[in-house]
Amino acid sequence: MATATTYGARAHARAQEGTRAEAMPVVPAADWPAPPCEAGHLVWAETVAGGNYTHRVLARGTELRLTDLHGDACAHLLLYAADRPWERLNVADTVKVQWNAYLGEGQLLLSDQGRVLASLVADTSGHHDALCGTSTLVRNTERYGDGTPQSDSPAGRELFKLAAAKNGLEPRDLPPSLSFFQGVEIRDDGSLDFTGSTGPGGSVTLRAEQDVTVLIANVPHPADPRDDYVSTPLEVLAWRAEATAPGDPLWEATPEGRRAFLNTTEFLAARGLA
Amino acid sequence: MSTTVVPARAAWSAVVRTGETLTITDLHGNQAVDFLVYDAHDTSVRYSAPDTIHAQSGIFLTTGSVLMSNEHTPLMTVTADEVGRHDTVGGACSKESNTLRYGHHTWSQHACVDNFLAEGAKYGLGKRDLVSNINWYMNVPVEKDGTLGIVDGLSAPGLKLTLRAERDVLVLVSNCPQINNPCNGFEPTAVQMTIGVSG
């Protein structure tokens, strides 16, 4: 198609509509082929390429399912209270308050304000990590020859910087992150044991317990021992659901979690938000 | 060489120049020293627990451990340690997390995050500059099932550790005021900070 003229260039651009790529957002999300809920409840449906990132603001009560389609995704995650980013994921409080270093079903992702940002309501993988954070430009350059966003081996932190910037945030707003689908265990002497993936199809579902800004980078785990940069697509689906409420088993599961939910709902009620 | 005694429950900070050492002395034993470190010339480059952990493939700090930044560059190195194991996982106590860990009755108690905020403000640092910190002298084992907790300390009166600055760094310290777990033996006490020339 001729693109030497404005008319030709416009026609050329418009002719691209309808092209399908393996990694892309499906808009509207209701067009997603096999929704895990009523199709009309889907608010976000996307496949994130290996070495890429995405971000979204989710309303309280939204459920977010991440799926490792081919077995080598690693979803690095950061959470902020939407429009109040000074309240954000605190990994240290998350593991300390819940007396557990490992992420799994029933864990709450806590902010630094003694409140819940999201809860982990389903997990078919069990291979996750709250200790190692994500990869950096320096280390990816050492390991793979490059770590810039435009390279074939982008670093998680570089992608987080971009996702953060698109939400008005700066590098100093990036705290330690969590990652899903590539496991790390701790031996008795404190050393790390990288247990990798459980294979294709593993998924985790998070439930937003406040309005949250979600940043996701899909890049290899920093402790992945393979020489090659191996990063396969991540499926991201989100749908409208309900926040955890008093009486739900998750609300009552632990005294620490119950107080975190109480702190959260009192805070939201005082603001007129729940 | 300059030596300062940090009173129980107080904050402290200093710039340590490349090659200088910082020696921390647990004067009375089992006193957690909450610790953050920044590039003195660009505080957006700061201590990263995750980078430190995956760089050394382990969660405990001792002699030889390198404190890495969020850009995976070395900030300080542990050059001597008389205790053997220090914590990278538990982070700082806060009034907010105390309500979760112990109950709302603890709300009036002082906490490390408030020390970090007050001390950091002297350098223009705010809440977003606070991240998972080191807890010198704090003992946090992890069981096979992932259960972790702050348990009785391994330190004793007079035990020291020494750090060497790998670049000009700003160090923020909270001499932990926590009284609801064993990290300070349930009685916060003074610690000593000594900045010296590398030997």
Side-chain angles (χ1 to χ4, degrees), chain A residues 86 88 96 99-101 112 131-132 136 138-139 157 161 170 172-174 190 192 256 259-260 263, chain B residues 46 50 54 57-59 70-72 90 92 99-101 104 127-130 145-148:
Chain A
W86 49 89
R88 66 190 185 197
K96 175 176 61 178
W99 297 88
N100 203 304
D112 48 71
L131 297 169
C132 292
T136 50
V138 164
R139 193 142 185 280
R157 181 168 169 81
K161 286 176 183 172
E170 297 176 353
R172 65 176 66 218
D173 294 304
L174 297 172
L192 303 184
E256 296 83 12
R259 289 195 288 272
N263 283 352
Chain B
R46 63 195 177 201
H54 74 71
S57 195
I59 59 171
N70 50 6
E71 297 292 355
H72 215 75
T99 73
L100 304 185
R101 278 172 60 73
H104 291 90
K127 187 173 172 306
R128 65 182 182 158
D129 299 297
L130 302 189
D145 66 357
T147 302
L148 66 78

mmCIF file of all heavy atoms in Angstrom, chain A residues 86 88 96 99-101 112 131-132 136 138-139 157 161 170 172-174 190 192 256 259-260 263, chain B residues 46 50 54 57-59 70-72 90 92 99-101 104 127-130 145-148:
data_model
loop_
_atom_site.group_PDB
_atom_site.id
_atom_site.type_symbol
_atom_site.label_atom_id
_atom_site.label_comp_id
_atom_site.label_asym_id
_atom_site.label_seq_id
_atom_site.Cartn_x
_atom_site.Cartn_y
_atom_site.Cartn_z
ATOM 1 N N TRP A 86 2.027 6.861 48.269
ATOM 2 C CA TRP A 86 2.882 6.747 49.465
ATOM 3 C C TRP A 86 2.462 5.548 50.314
ATOM 4 O O TRP A 86 3.238 5.097 51.132
ATOM 5 C CB TRP A 86 2.838 8.037 50.297
ATOM 6 C CG TRP A 86 1.452 8.529 50.557
ATOM 7 C CD1 TRP A 86 0.652 8.193 51.600
ATOM 8 C CD2 TRP A 86 0.690 9.432 49.750
ATOM 9 N NE1 TRP A 86 -0.555 8.836 51.492
ATOM 10 C CE2 TRP A 86 -0.564 9.604 50.374
ATOM 11 C CE3 TRP A 86 0.956 10.116 48.552
ATOM 12 C CZ2 TRP A 86 -1.555 10.429 49.841
ATOM 13 C CZ3 TRP A 86 -0.036 10.932 48.035
ATOM 14 C CH2 TRP A 86 -1.273 11.083 48.676
ATOM 15 N N ARG A 88 2.031 1.763 49.910
ATOM 16 C CA ARG A 88 2.406 0.808 48.863
ATOM 17 C C ARG A 88 2.773 -0.534 49.481
ATOM 18 O O ARG A 88 2.917 -0.654 50.705
ATOM 19 C CB ARG A 88 3.578 1.365 48.056
ATOM 20 C CG ARG A 88 4.845 1.493 48.874
ATOM 21 C CD ARG A 88 5.928 2.280 48.139
ATOM 22 N NE ARG A 88 7.160 2.275 48.913
ATOM 23 C CZ ARG A 88 8.169 3.101 48.731
ATOM 24 N NH1 ARG A 88 8.118 4.019 47.785
ATOM 25 N NH2 ARG A 88 9.260 3.013 49.477
ATOM 26 N N LYS A 96 6.598 -10.648 57.608
ATOM 27 C CA LYS A 96 6.776 -10.621 59.073
ATOM 28 C C LYS A 96 5.430 -10.727 59.790
ATOM 29 O O LYS A 96 5.277 -11.521 60.718
ATOM 30 C CB LYS A 96 7.493 -9.324 59.466
ATOM 31 C CG LYS A 96 7.629 -9.110 60.968
ATOM 32 C CD LYS A 96 8.442 -7.858 61.277
ATOM 33 C CE LYS A 96 7.793 -6.605 60.731
ATOM 34 N NZ LYS A 96 8.560 -5.386 61.061
ATOM 35 N N TRP A 99 4.001 -14.113 59.585
ATOM 36 C CA TRP A 99 4.883 -15.156 60.118
ATOM 37 C C TRP A 99 5.241 -16.179 59.052
ATOM 38 O O TRP A 99 5.387 -17.364 59.328
ATOM 39 C CB TRP A 99 4.219 -15.870 61.308
ATOM 40 C CG TRP A 99 3.937 -14.993 62.496
ATOM 41 C CD1 TRP A 99 2.806 -14.250 62.693
ATOM 42 C CD2 TRP A 99 4.767 -14.745 63.627
ATOM 43 N NE1 TRP A 99 2.894 -13.559 63.871
ATOM 44 C CE2 TRP A 99 4.079 -13.853 64.484
ATOM 45 C CE3 TRP A 99 6.032 -15.199 64.020
ATOM 46 C CZ2 TRP A 99 4.620 -13.388 65.686
ATOM 47 C CZ3 TRP A 99 6.555 -14.757 65.232
ATOM 48 C CH2 TRP A 99 5.855 -13.864 66.039
ATOM 49 N N ASN A 100 5.355 -15.733 57.779
ATOM 50 C CA ASN A 100 5.718 -16.694 56.735
ATOM 51 C C ASN A 100 6.434 -16.013 55.582
ATOM 52 O O ASN A 100 5.987 -14.976 55.092
ATOM 53 C CB ASN A 100 4.489 -17.445 56.222
ATOM 54 C CG ASN A 100 4.871 -18.775 55.596
ATOM 55 O OD1 ASN A 100 5.684 -18.822 54.681
ATOM 56 N ND2 ASN A 100 4.323 -19.855 56.127
ATOM 57 N N ALA A 101 7.531 -16.618 55.139
ATOM 58 C CA ALA A 101 8.335 -16.055 54.062
ATOM 59 C C ALA A 101 7.814 -16.421 52.688
ATOM 60 O O ALA A 101 8.270 -15.852 51.693
ATOM 61 C CB ALA A 101 9.785 -16.542 54.189
ATOM 62 N N ASP A 112 2.504 -0.603 53.928
ATOM 63 C CA ASP A 112 3.256 -0.105 55.082
ATOM 64 C C ASP A 112 2.351 0.576 56.096
ATOM 65 O O ASP A 112 2.826 1.065 57.112
ATOM 66 C CB ASP A 112 4.308 0.888 54.586
ATOM 67 C CG ASP A 112 3.693 1.881 53.621
ATOM 68 O OD1 ASP A 112 2.919 2.748 54.076
ATOM 69 O OD2 ASP A 112 3.935 1.766 52.412
ATOM 70 N N LEU A 131 11.579 -12.642 48.239
ATOM 71 C CA LEU A 131 12.894 -12.274 48.766
ATOM 72 C C LEU A 131 13.822 -11.615 47.753
ATOM 73 O O LEU A 131 14.586 -10.730 48.109
ATOM 74 C CB LEU A 131 13.607 -13.530 49.296
ATOM 75 C CG LEU A 131 12.927 -14.229 50.459
ATOM 76 C CD1 LEU A 131 13.590 -15.575 50.700
ATOM 77 C CD2 LEU A 131 13.003 -13.361 51.700
ATOM 78 N N CYS A 132 13.778 -12.068 46.507
ATOM 79 C CA CYS A 132 14.844 -11.706 45.556
ATOM 80 C C CYS A 132 14.535 -10.492 44.696
ATOM 81 O O CYS A 132 15.396 -10.025 43.949
ATOM 82 C CB CYS A 132 15.173 -12.893 44.658
ATOM 83 S SG CYS A 132 15.966 -14.238 45.552
ATOM 84 N N THR A 136 18.031 -6.151 37.356
ATOM 85 C CA THR A 136 18.512 -4.774 37.175
ATOM 86 C C THR A 136 19.329 -4.662 35.890
ATOM 87 O O THR A 136 19.834 -5.657 35.365
ATOM 88 C CB THR A 136 19.435 -4.370 38.340
ATOM 89 O OG1 THR A 136 20.411 -5.402 38.517
ATOM 90 C CG2 THR A 136 18.651 -4.174 39.633
ATOM 91 N N VAL A 138 22.292 -3.386 35.524
ATOM 92 C CA VAL A 138 23.695 -3.788 35.732
ATOM 93 C C VAL A 138 23.834 -5.308 35.628
ATOM 94 O O VAL A 138 24.706 -5.831 34.930
ATOM 95 C CB VAL A 138 24.203 -3.298 37.110
ATOM 96 C CG1 VAL A 138 25.485 -4.016 37.515
ATOM 97 C CG2 VAL A 138 24.419 -1.790 37.088
ATOM 98 N N ARG A 139 22.952 -6.010 36.307
ATOM 99 C CA ARG A 139 23.101 -7.464 36.368
ATOM 100 C C ARG A 139 22.721 -8.114 35.035
ATOM 101 O O ARG A 139 23.365 -9.077 34.607
ATOM 102 C CB ARG A 139 22.247 -8.009 37.510
ATOM 103 C CG ARG A 139 22.579 -9.451 37.832
ATOM 104 C CD ARG A 139 22.517 -9.705 39.320
ATOM 105 N NE ARG A 139 22.957 -11.070 39.604
ATOM 106 C CZ ARG A 139 22.178 -12.135 39.458
ATOM 107 N NH1 ARG A 139 20.948 -11.990 39.016
ATOM 108 N NH2 ARG A 139 22.637 -13.342 39.733
ATOM 109 N N ARG A 157 13.588 -4.013 36.717
ATOM 110 C CA ARG A 157 13.569 -2.668 37.302
ATOM 111 C C ARG A 157 13.431 -1.596 36.225
ATOM 112 O O ARG A 157 12.764 -0.582 36.433
ATOM 113 C CB ARG A 157 14.836 -2.441 38.138
ATOM 114 C CG ARG A 157 14.881 -1.066 38.792
ATOM 115 C CD ARG A 157 15.962 -0.948 39.843
ATOM 116 N NE ARG A 157 16.145 0.429 40.244
ATOM 117 C CZ ARG A 157 15.370 1.073 41.121
ATOM 118 N NH1 ARG A 157 14.377 0.440 41.684
ATOM 119 N NH2 ARG A 157 15.600 2.325 41.429
ATOM 120 N N LYS A 161 10.389 1.025 36.046
ATOM 121 C CA LYS A 161 10.565 2.484 35.974
ATOM 122 C C LYS A 161 9.605 3.085 34.941
ATOM 123 O O LYS A 161 9.041 4.163 35.155
ATOM 124 C CB LYS A 161 12.010 2.835 35.598
ATOM 125 C CG LYS A 161 13.017 2.633 36.716
ATOM 126 C CD LYS A 161 14.437 2.904 36.209
ATOM 127 C CE LYS A 161 15.478 2.650 37.287
ATOM 128 N NZ LYS A 161 16.855 2.733 36.740
ATOM 129 N N GLU A 170 8.210 7.793 40.301
ATOM 130 C CA GLU A 170 9.625 7.874 39.968
ATOM 131 C C GLU A 170 10.363 6.653 40.503
ATOM 132 O O GLU A 170 9.807 5.896 41.304
ATOM 133 C CB GLU A 170 10.210 9.152 40.593
ATOM 134 C CG GLU A 170 9.566 10.410 40.029
ATOM 135 C CD GLU A 170 10.064 11.679 40.695
ATOM 136 O OE1 GLU A 170 10.818 11.583 41.694
ATOM 137 O OE2 GLU A 170 9.680 12.755 40.212
ATOM 138 N N ARG A 172 12.384 6.299 42.822
ATOM 139 C CA ARG A 172 12.415 6.162 44.285
ATOM 140 C C ARG A 172 11.070 5.688 44.841
ATOM 141 O O ARG A 172 10.967 5.389 46.034
ATOM 142 C CB ARG A 172 12.895 7.441 44.955
ATOM 143 C CG ARG A 172 12.020 8.629 44.809
ATOM 144 C CD ARG A 172 12.592 9.805 45.620
ATOM 145 N NE ARG A 172 13.869 10.260 45.092
ATOM 146 C CZ ARG A 172 14.883 10.667 45.862
ATOM 147 N NH1 ARG A 172 14.791 10.657 47.163
ATOM 148 N NH2 ARG A 172 16.003 11.080 45.316
ATOM 149 N N ASP A 173 10.055 5.616 43.977
ATOM 150 C CA ASP A 173 8.775 5.042 44.399
ATOM 151 C C ASP A 173 8.738 3.525 44.234
ATOM 152 O O ASP A 173 7.698 2.912 44.490
ATOM 153 C CB ASP A 173 7.632 5.670 43.591
ATOM 154 C CG ASP A 173 7.466 7.149 43.893
ATOM 155 O OD1 ASP A 173 7.285 7.484 45.074
ATOM 156 O OD2 ASP A 173 7.551 7.962 42.954
ATOM 157 N N LEU A 174 9.842 2.924 43.792
ATOM 158 C CA LEU A 174 9.861 1.476 43.555
ATOM 159 C C LEU A 174 10.475 0.754 44.743
ATOM 160 O O LEU A 174 11.694 0.755 44.915
ATOM 161 C CB LEU A 174 10.667 1.154 42.288
ATOM 162 C CG LEU A 174 10.115 1.727 40.987
ATOM 163 C CD1 LEU A 174 11.116 1.503 39.846
ATOM 164 C CD2 LEU A 174 8.771 1.099 40.634
ATOM 165 N N GLY A 190 20.020 -20.462 55.670
ATOM 166 C CA GLY A 190 19.670 -19.159 55.101
ATOM 167 C C GLY A 190 19.973 -19.024 53.631
ATOM 168 O O GLY A 190 19.623 -18.012 53.018
ATOM 169 N N LEU A 192 19.738 -19.774 49.520
ATOM 170 C CA LEU A 192 18.573 -19.863 48.646
ATOM 171 C C LEU A 192 18.650 -21.089 47.749
ATOM 172 O O LEU A 192 19.722 -21.487 47.302
ATOM 173 C CB LEU A 192 18.489 -18.627 47.747
ATOM 174 C CG LEU A 192 18.443 -17.268 48.421
ATOM 175 C CD1 LEU A 192 18.265 -16.171 47.362
ATOM 176 C CD2 LEU A 192 17.337 -17.188 49.450
ATOM 177 N N GLU A 256 -3.796 -11.599 62.835
ATOM 178 C CA GLU A 256 -3.095 -10.486 62.197
ATOM 179 C C GLU A 256 -3.857 -10.026 60.954
ATOM 180 O O GLU A 256 -4.005 -8.825 60.690
ATOM 181 C CB GLU A 256 -1.668 -10.902 61.806
ATOM 182 C CG GLU A 256 -0.764 -11.248 62.986
ATOM 183 C CD GLU A 256 -0.932 -12.684 63.495
ATOM 184 O OE1 GLU A 256 -1.585 -13.494 62.806
ATOM 185 O OE2 GLU A 256 -0.411 -12.991 64.589
ATOM 186 N N ARG A 259 -7.053 -8.102 61.835
ATOM 187 C CA ARG A 259 -6.790 -6.702 62.190
ATOM 188 C C ARG A 259 -6.422 -5.877 60.946
ATOM 189 O O ARG A 259 -6.770 -4.694 60.849
ATOM 190 C CB ARG A 259 -5.690 -6.618 63.255
ATOM 191 C CG ARG A 259 -6.160 -7.103 64.623
ATOM 192 C CD ARG A 259 -5.224 -6.701 65.743
ATOM 193 N NE ARG A 259 -3.969 -7.428 65.738
ATOM 194 C CZ ARG A 259 -3.764 -8.601 66.361
ATOM 195 N NH1 ARG A 259 -4.740 -9.173 67.051
ATOM 196 N NH2 ARG A 259 -2.587 -9.179 66.310
ATOM 197 N N ALA A 260 -5.729 -6.517 59.977
ATOM 198 C CA ALA A 260 -5.388 -5.795 58.744
ATOM 199 C C ALA A 260 -6.648 -5.455 57.950
ATOM 200 O O ALA A 260 -6.775 -4.346 57.409
ATOM 201 C CB ALA A 260 -4.424 -6.633 57.893
ATOM 202 N N ASN A 263 -8.377 -2.625 59.880
ATOM 203 C CA ASN A 263 -7.714 -1.337 59.616
ATOM 204 C C ASN A 263 -8.116 -0.802 58.244
ATOM 205 O O ASN A 263 -8.317 0.399 58.055
ATOM 206 C CB ASN A 263 -6.193 -1.505 59.656
ATOM 207 C CG ASN A 263 -5.631 -1.591 61.071
ATOM 208 O OD1 ASN A 263 -6.340 -1.384 62.050
ATOM 209 N ND2 ASN A 263 -4.352 -1.917 61.167
ATOM 210 N N ARG B 46 19.780 3.250 46.637
ATOM 211 C CA ARG B 46 19.682 2.950 48.064
ATOM 212 C C ARG B 46 19.747 1.451 48.303
ATOM 213 O O ARG B 46 19.581 0.661 47.364
ATOM 214 C CB ARG B 46 18.360 3.502 48.608
ATOM 215 C CG ARG B 46 17.169 2.835 47.945
ATOM 216 C CD ARG B 46 15.872 3.588 48.184
ATOM 217 N NE ARG B 46 14.763 2.954 47.480
ATOM 218 C CZ ARG B 46 13.632 3.575 47.167
ATOM 219 N NH1 ARG B 46 13.456 4.848 47.488
ATOM 220 N NH2 ARG B 46 12.668 2.938 46.537
ATOM 221 N N PRO B 50 16.435 -7.174 48.373
ATOM 222 C CA PRO B 50 16.398 -8.228 47.361
ATOM 223 C C PRO B 50 17.708 -8.368 46.587
ATOM 224 O O PRO B 50 18.177 -9.490 46.339
ATOM 225 C CB PRO B 50 15.267 -7.795 46.418
ATOM 226 C CG PRO B 50 14.439 -6.846 47.177
ATOM 227 C CD PRO B 50 15.326 -6.208 48.195
ATOM 228 N N HIS B 54 19.860 -11.834 46.621
ATOM 229 C CA HIS B 54 20.144 -12.720 45.481
ATOM 230 C C HIS B 54 21.603 -12.628 45.024
ATOM 231 O O HIS B 54 22.139 -13.575 44.468
ATOM 232 C CB HIS B 54 19.110 -12.605 44.361
ATOM 233 C CG HIS B 54 19.153 -11.397 43.502
ATOM 234 N ND1 HIS B 54 20.141 -11.166 42.583
ATOM 235 C CD2 HIS B 54 18.291 -10.382 43.386
ATOM 236 C CE1 HIS B 54 19.875 -10.039 41.944
ATOM 237 N NE2 HIS B 54 18.759 -9.540 42.420
ATOM 238 N N SER B 57 23.033 -15.028 47.398
ATOM 239 C CA SER B 57 22.234 -16.251 47.444
ATOM 240 C C SER B 57 21.971 -16.718 48.876
ATOM 241 O O SER B 57 22.084 -17.894 49.206
ATOM 242 C CB SER B 57 22.885 -17.376 46.631
ATOM 243 O OG SER B 57 21.938 -18.409 46.407
ATOM 244 N N GLY B 58 21.586 -15.762 49.718
ATOM 245 C CA GLY B 58 21.273 -16.105 51.100
ATOM 246 C C GLY B 58 20.701 -14.902 51.826
ATOM 247 O O GLY B 58 20.944 -13.759 51.422
ATOM 248 N N ILE B 59 19.976 -15.186 52.912
ATOM 249 C CA ILE B 59 19.264 -14.098 53.586
ATOM 250 C C ILE B 59 20.010 -13.539 54.790
ATOM 251 O O ILE B 59 19.642 -12.483 55.289
ATOM 252 C CB ILE B 59 17.840 -14.544 54.029
ATOM 253 C CG1 ILE B 59 17.890 -15.739 54.982
ATOM 254 C CG2 ILE B 59 16.973 -14.841 52.820
ATOM 255 C CD1 ILE B 59 16.532 -16.081 55.605
ATOM 256 N N ASN B 70 19.679 -0.795 44.870
ATOM 257 C CA ASN B 70 18.600 -1.154 43.946
ATOM 258 C C ASN B 70 19.059 -1.126 42.488
ATOM 259 O O ASN B 70 18.324 -1.588 41.613
ATOM 260 C CB ASN B 70 17.390 -0.220 44.151
ATOM 261 C CG ASN B 70 17.777 1.243 44.141
ATOM 262 O OD1 ASN B 70 18.924 1.598 43.882
ATOM 263 N ND2 ASN B 70 16.817 2.099 44.434
ATOM 264 N N GLU B 71 20.232 -0.590 42.212
ATOM 265 C CA GLU B 71 20.804 -0.671 40.859
ATOM 266 C C GLU B 71 21.902 -1.737 40.796
ATOM 267 O O GLU B 71 22.709 -1.765 39.868
ATOM 268 C CB GLU B 71 21.344 0.692 40.419
ATOM 269 C CG GLU B 71 20.266 1.772 40.304
ATOM 270 C CD GLU B 71 19.257 1.542 39.168
ATOM 271 O OE1 GLU B 71 19.433 0.584 38.379
ATOM 272 O OE2 GLU B 71 18.288 2.330 39.065
ATOM 273 N N HIS B 72 21.920 -2.573 41.799
ATOM 274 C CA HIS B 72 22.846 -3.706 41.889
ATOM 275 C C HIS B 72 24.310 -3.270 41.876
ATOM 276 O O HIS B 72 25.173 -3.861 41.217
ATOM 277 C CB HIS B 72 22.571 -4.734 40.780
ATOM 278 C CG HIS B 72 22.822 -6.147 41.255
ATOM 279 N ND1 HIS B 72 21.960 -6.818 42.088
ATOM 280 C CD2 HIS B 72 23.866 -6.994 41.047
ATOM 281 C CE1 HIS B 72 22.445 -8.024 42.356
ATOM 282 N NE2 HIS B 72 23.608 -8.150 41.745
ATOM 283 N N GLY B 90 13.032 -8.971 57.949
ATOM 284 C CA GLY B 90 11.946 -8.524 58.827
ATOM 285 C C GLY B 90 11.561 -7.060 58.722
ATOM 286 O O GLY B 90 10.479 -6.671 59.179
ATOM 287 N N ALA B 92 11.426 -2.917 59.312
ATOM 288 C CA ALA B 92 11.346 -2.053 60.494
ATOM 289 C C ALA B 92 10.009 -2.226 61.192
ATOM 290 O O ALA B 92 8.996 -2.473 60.550
ATOM 291 C CB ALA B 92 11.515 -0.603 60.074
ATOM 292 N N THR B 99 0.084 -2.677 65.176
ATOM 293 C CA THR B 99 -1.343 -2.959 65.408
ATOM 294 C C THR B 99 -1.710 -4.334 64.860
ATOM 295 O O THR B 99 -2.609 -4.990 65.385
ATOM 296 C CB THR B 99 -2.277 -1.899 64.772
ATOM 297 O OG1 THR B 99 -2.308 -2.036 63.351
ATOM 298 C CG2 THR B 99 -1.886 -0.488 65.171
ATOM 299 N N LEU B 100 -1.011 -4.771 63.812
ATOM 300 C CA LEU B 100 -1.294 -6.093 63.246
ATOM 301 C C LEU B 100 -0.621 -7.191 64.052
ATOM 302 O O LEU B 100 -1.220 -8.237 64.320
ATOM 303 C CB LEU B 100 -0.808 -6.167 61.794
ATOM 304 C CG LEU B 100 -1.347 -5.117 60.836
ATOM 305 C CD1 LEU B 100 -0.870 -5.402 59.416
ATOM 306 C CD2 LEU B 100 -2.865 -5.046 60.879
ATOM 307 N N ARG B 101 0.623 -6.953 64.446
ATOM 308 C CA ARG B 101 1.390 -8.021 65.103
ATOM 309 C C ARG B 101 0.955 -8.252 66.546
ATOM 310 O O ARG B 101 0.995 -9.391 67.034
ATOM 311 C CB ARG B 101 2.893 -7.697 65.056
ATOM 312 C CG ARG B 101 3.503 -8.081 63.712
ATOM 313 C CD ARG B 101 4.931 -7.614 63.531
ATOM 314 N NE ARG B 101 5.921 -8.092 64.476
ATOM 315 C CZ ARG B 101 6.424 -9.320 64.535
ATOM 316 N NH1 ARG B 101 6.001 -10.250 63.716
ATOM 317 N NH2 ARG B 101 7.353 -9.636 65.415
ATOM 318 N N HIS B 104 -4.037 -3.163 68.823
ATOM 319 C CA HIS B 104 -4.119 -1.703 68.749
ATOM 320 C C HIS B 104 -3.673 -1.016 70.037
ATOM 321 O O HIS B 104 -3.446 0.201 70.043
ATOM 322 C CB HIS B 104 -5.533 -1.291 68.346
ATOM 323 C CG HIS B 104 -5.853 -1.651 66.931
ATOM 324 N ND1 HIS B 104 -6.423 -2.863 66.558
ATOM 325 C CD2 HIS B 104 -5.630 -0.991 65.772
ATOM 326 C CE1 HIS B 104 -6.555 -2.906 65.251
ATOM 327 N NE2 HIS B 104 -6.083 -1.797 64.740
ATOM 328 N N LYS B 127 8.837 9.418 53.068
ATOM 329 C CA LYS B 127 8.313 8.075 53.244
ATOM 330 C C LYS B 127 8.656 7.154 52.070
ATOM 331 O O LYS B 127 8.943 5.974 52.248
ATOM 332 C CB LYS B 127 6.809 8.157 53.455
ATOM 333 C CG LYS B 127 6.191 6.845 53.822
ATOM 334 C CD LYS B 127 4.749 7.000 54.178
ATOM 335 C CE LYS B 127 4.156 5.631 54.345
ATOM 336 N NZ LYS B 127 4.384 4.790 53.156
ATOM 337 N N ARG B 128 8.626 7.722 50.862
ATOM 338 C CA ARG B 128 8.875 6.851 49.707
ATOM 339 C C ARG B 128 10.327 6.401 49.620
ATOM 340 O O ARG B 128 10.652 5.521 48.819
ATOM 341 C CB ARG B 128 8.443 7.538 48.422
ATOM 342 C CG ARG B 128 9.242 8.776 48.090
ATOM 343 C CD ARG B 128 8.691 9.392 46.816
ATOM 344 N NE ARG B 128 9.448 10.550 46.409
ATOM 345 C CZ ARG B 128 9.479 11.025 45.173
ATOM 346 N NH1 ARG B 128 8.797 10.434 44.223
ATOM 347 N NH2 ARG B 128 10.183 12.080 44.872
ATOM 348 N N ASP B 129 11.193 7.024 50.411
ATOM 349 C CA ASP B 129 12.601 6.625 50.418
ATOM 350 C C ASP B 129 12.890 5.501 51.411
ATOM 351 O O ASP B 129 14.026 5.054 51.525
ATOM 352 C CB ASP B 129 13.467 7.847 50.757
ATOM 353 C CG ASP B 129 13.301 8.942 49.721
ATOM 354 O OD1 ASP B 129 13.645 8.691 48.564
ATOM 355 O OD2 ASP B 129 12.787 10.026 50.061
ATOM 356 N N LEU B 130 11.876 5.082 52.152
ATOM 357 C CA LEU B 130 12.066 3.993 53.120
ATOM 358 C C LEU B 130 11.710 2.659 52.475
ATOM 359 O O LEU B 130 10.634 2.509 51.896
ATOM 360 C CB LEU B 130 11.185 4.207 54.358
ATOM 361 C CG LEU B 130 11.390 5.518 55.116
ATOM 362 C CD1 LEU B 130 10.603 5.482 56.426
ATOM 363 C CD2 LEU B 130 12.860 5.802 55.382
ATOM 364 N N ASP B 145 8.730 -24.851 56.345
ATOM 365 C CA ASP B 145 7.422 -24.479 55.800
ATOM 366 C C ASP B 145 7.287 -22.976 55.594
ATOM 367 O O ASP B 145 6.199 -22.488 55.292
ATOM 368 C CB ASP B 145 6.301 -24.990 56.709
ATOM 369 C CG ASP B 145 6.291 -24.313 58.078
ATOM 370 O OD1 ASP B 145 7.183 -23.481 58.353
ATOM 371 O OD2 ASP B 145 5.390 -24.613 58.880
ATOM 372 N N GLY B 146 8.388 -22.257 55.755
ATOM 373 C CA GLY B 146 8.362 -20.815 55.532
ATOM 374 C C GLY B 146 8.075 -19.997 56.775
ATOM 375 O O GLY B 146 8.217 -18.771 56.753
ATOM 376 N N THR B 147 7.691 -20.653 57.855
ATOM 377 C CA THR B 147 7.416 -19.895 59.085
ATOM 378 C C THR B 147 8.676 -19.141 59.506
ATOM 379 O O THR B 147 9.763 -19.718 59.569
ATOM 380 C CB THR B 147 6.973 -20.841 60.220
ATOM 381 O OG1 THR B 147 5.810 -21.547 59.786
ATOM 382 C CG2 THR B 147 6.660 -20.064 61.492
ATOM 383 N N LEU B 148 8.500 -17.867 59.728
ATOM 384 C CA LEU B 148 9.629 -17.057 60.185
ATOM 385 C C LEU B 148 9.187 -16.241 61.379
ATOM 386 O O LEU B 148 7.991 -16.002 61.585
ATOM 387 C CB LEU B 148 10.156 -16.153 59.076
ATOM 388 C CG LEU B 148 9.266 -15.032 58.539
ATOM 389 C CD1 LEU B 148 9.236 -13.825 59.452
ATOM 390 C CD2 LEU B 148 9.758 -14.606 57.172
#
